[in-house]
Amino acid sequence: MPKRKLALHWRILIGLALGVVVGVAINMLWTDAVWAKLGVVDSGAFLATGPHTDAQLNPDANLIADTARFLRRANAFVGDLFLRGLKFIAVPIVLFSLMTGVASLNDTAKLGRIGGKTIAIYLVTTALAITIGLTIANLVGPGRGFPEELREQLASAEAASAEAKIGAAKTQQGRSTWDIVLDIMPTNPFGAMAAGNTLQVVVAALLAGVALTLIPKKKAEPVIAVCDGMTDVVIKIVEMILIIAPYAVFALIAGVIADLGVAVLLQLVKYSLTVVAGLAIVVFGVYPLILRVSTPVRYKRFFAAISPAQLLAFSSSSSGATLPVTMDCCEKRLGVKEDVASFVLPIGATINMDGTALYQGVAAVFIAQLYGLDLSIGQQLTIVLTATLASIGTAAVPGVGIVMLVIVLEAANIPLEGIAVILGVDRILDMCRTTCNVTGDCMVVSIVAHTEGELETEDQVRARLALDDEVGFDEHPRNE
Ligand code: ASP
């Protein structure tokens, strides 16, 4: 009997745990004083510059310093290679799976019903998430009594990058709501794909999918077969990329933790914990509760099925890059039928960001408290509304939530300078909120599938998985 390989999520979890341990060790032991001892004066420049200028930059840099830099770059290389691979398939998977999903529903009434349900649940859960964020932030008051000196010190340390984020948001802001909505409609579908504008790709795929159901069957069938085949091709590529997932997760986490400003984290610990507590309540309390009330999916089944997607979301900070794995988990392990999963999940990855919205709620209250402002009910409602809308426009890639926060702060008249204060801990909170975003997508797809009678029972899933047992979730099925 062939030896069974450890399941993918365990391997990812081991990568994650080792990454944390190694990251913490480097963070604690490899300080600027160590660089200085090795003859490296400016470690940032030393790490960033090519070898050709090293001689001028660090005449004394010795073998240990060079080796450390090599390892760091090799580590970043593995993480980036993996993320590039996942980004590479993000647009094709949305396009092909959505086209196949819509075309195979083959019923515009059903499509409208599922679409309506999906969007309604996405919006309601997002608004609920921000409300939870606002409530916790008001109760805990992470910014109350925050020393003004520390606020200014943190703000000046990150002033330049905060300006860049605010600048990025402003380019969005000069536009009227008409233009923003209009922009969802691509003028060139290929341009949208090339630019990686997922919202536009969703629209293009929806239009093409609906059109496929309206043209004669004889003509539609070969196109659907191509899209279906391409979806399988993309999923197979995902499985190939996932082979390096445990190593890449190690590399990504070790890098983030090694670079983490522990001092900044400690200064912002109350704020960070408020965000994490809010996200934990949503992920481990609200979602399972909603599932319990509206579907037969129970706690253990849900989390066991989606854990690879959650781990990947945490490691990559990108729900877009995680999408192919989210689809794989929901279809194969949770038992959502392909036509529903391939319709609901790409839309969810693009527009449903409960974690991001919750984070924006907490951040807005925190910043207001930093500046001694008391938010009125009207301002808080503005936050709920703008954060719900902003989360739709948030691209599913790392670090966009904080850019969209600018829009939320402006709408509620909260000082934008506060962005600089929270920037230092954004990456780690991005990892947490992305996990919540992906979990939310999985929750919604379960509800939609159940109400449509397209969710397998736990026994059906188990029986199917037992059949596939020879072939791991992440491996190639042999010729069928
Ligand atoms: N990184 C998040 C995501 O991809 C978006 C954000 O909040 O920055 O889901």
Side-chain angles (χ1 to χ4, degrees):
M1 217 174 124
K3 217 172 100 200
R4 278 196 64 188
K5 241 165 108 193
L6 200 59
L8 177 70
H9 59 279
W10 286 117
R11 282 184 278 143
I12 295 185
L13 204 61
I14 293 172
L16 192 75
L18 287 178
V20 171
V21 172
V22 172
V24 168
I26 295 175
N27 191 300
M28 285 169 62
L29 303 174
W30 200 278
T31 56
D32 272 350
V34 176
W35 281 121
K37 253 194 217 153
L38 295 172
V40 177
V41 190
D42 182 345
S43 59
F46 178 72
L47 290 168
T49 322
H52 53 286
T53 50
D54 282 354
Q56 306 152 15
L57 187 70
N58 290 294
D60 298 329
N62 62 27
L63 190 66
I64 301 180
D66 279 336
T67 312
R69 179 174 63 181
F70 172 79
L71 288 177
R72 192 184 149 115
R73 285 198 177 157
N75 188 61
F77 176 83
V78 176
D80 288 346
L81 183 71
F82 177 65
L83 286 186
R84 286 180 80 107
L86 288 175
K87 282 184 193 149
F88 162 80
I89 34 154
V91 167
I93 191 109
V94 170
L95 180 75
F96 293 122
S97 67
L98 206 50
M99 272 176 74
T100 323
V102 174
S104 58
L105 285 174
N106 200 10
D107 171 352
T108 24
K110 187 173 176 191
L111 183 69
R113 195 176 61 233
I114 296 186
K117 255 189 253 180
T118 303
I119 300 209
I121 310 177
Y122 280 152
L123 290 180
V124 171
T125 50
T126 304
L128 181 69
I130 317 169
T131 312
I132 292 174
L134 287 176
T135 312
I136 302 189
N138 279 305
L139 288 177
V140 176
R144 278 196 285 263
F146 199 85
E148 202 173 310
E149 239 171 60
L150 182 58
R151 183 190 80 195
E152 293 312 316
Q153 182 197 327
L154 289 170
S156 65
E158 293 285 355
S161 2
E163 268 311 307
K165 306 263 175 215
I166 294 171
K170 293 271 175 192
T171 53
Q172 293 279 326
Q173 261 180 341
R175 303 158 63 220
S176 70
T177 316
W178 292 109
D179 288 339
I180 294 175
V181 177
L182 198 59
D183 200 35
I184 297 175
M185 179 71 202
T187 48
N188 174 353
F190 301 102
M193 285 175 231
N197 185 331
T198 1
L199 207 49
Q200 290 191 347
V201 177
V202 165
V203 173
L206 284 176
L207 282 175
V210 172
L212 276 172
T213 63
L214 300 175
I215 62 173
K217 226 174 164 185
K218 221 174 105 210
K219 290 194 171 166
E221 265 164 2
V223 183
I224 299 174
V226 168
C227 291
D228 199 20
M230 284 307 290
T231 307
D232 284 358
V233 166
V234 178
I235 291 194
K236 202 44 73 185
I237 297 177
V238 177
E239 290 173 0
M240 283 154 36
I241 296 171
L242 282 182
I243 294 173
I244 64 161
Y247 311 100
V249 164
F250 167 85
L252 290 167
I253 299 295
V256 170
I257 308 258
D259 286 346
L260 194 70
V262 179
V264 181
L265 190 62
L266 288 179
Q267 282 151 349
L268 292 171
V269 75
K270 203 167 165 194
Y271 158 70
S272 307
L273 286 181
T274 312
V275 175
V276 173
L279 294 173
I281 291 176
V282 171
V283 170
F284 299 110
V286 176
Y287 290 159
L289 191 71
I290 299 179
L291 282 175
R292 193 178 180 96
V293 175
S294 49
T295 72
V297 178
R298 294 292 168 260
Y299 208 89
K300 204 168 147 227
R301 171 180 172 192
F302 182 63
F303 287 106
I306 67 162
S307 53
Q310 287 183 307
L311 290 170
L312 199 59
F314 184 77
S315 318
S316 68
S317 297
S318 169
S319 31
T322 311
L323 174 64
V325 179
T326 316
M327 290 181 60
D328 217 30
C329 288
C330 289
E331 286 174 20
K332 292 194 185 147
R333 299 157 62 107
L334 202 53
V336 174
K337 292 278 168 60
E338 194 183 339
D339 54 352
V340 173
S342 57
F343 176 62
V344 175
L345 288 172
I347 298 183
T350 314
I351 67 167
N352 184 46
M353 307 242 174
D354 296 354
T356 301
L358 182 146
Y359 150 84
Q360 288 173 337
V362 176
V365 174
F366 174 69
I367 294 174
Q369 289 170 348
L370 279 187
Y371 290 91
L373 303 172
D374 260 333
L375 293 178
S376 65
I377 295 290
Q379 275 170 309
Q380 307 224 18
L381 283 177
T382 310
I383 295 175
V384 174
L385 193 71
T386 43
T388 306
L389 295 178
S391 73
I392 297 175
T394 304
V397 292
V400 184
I402 197 162
V403 173
M404 300 308 265
L405 177 64
V406 174
I407 296 172
V408 177
L409 295 182
E410 280 228 316
N413 282 326
I414 300 171
L416 296 185
E417 299 90 273
I419 299 265
V421 181
I422 56 170
L423 208 56
V425 288
D426 192 59
R427 180 62 204 255
I428 194 99
L429 296 181
D430 194 3
M431 292 158 67
C432 302
R433 64 187 189 240
T434 308
T435 311
C436 177
N437 292 343
V438 168
T439 311
D441 298 340
C442 297
M443 185 267 305
V444 175
V445 81
S446 312
I447 298 179
V448 175
H450 175 63
T451 56
E452 291 293 323
E454 305 236 17
L455 181 70
E456 289 176 338
T457 63
E458 203 170 353
D459 288 341
Q460 283 169 330
V461 175
R462 216 173 281 135
R464 187 171 39 72
L465 286 180
L467 270 183
D468 293 351
D469 211 21
E470 285 273 288
V471 181
F473 149 76
D474 51 328
E475 290 159 10
H476 290 255
R478 287 143 214 158
N479 290 338
E480 284 154 24

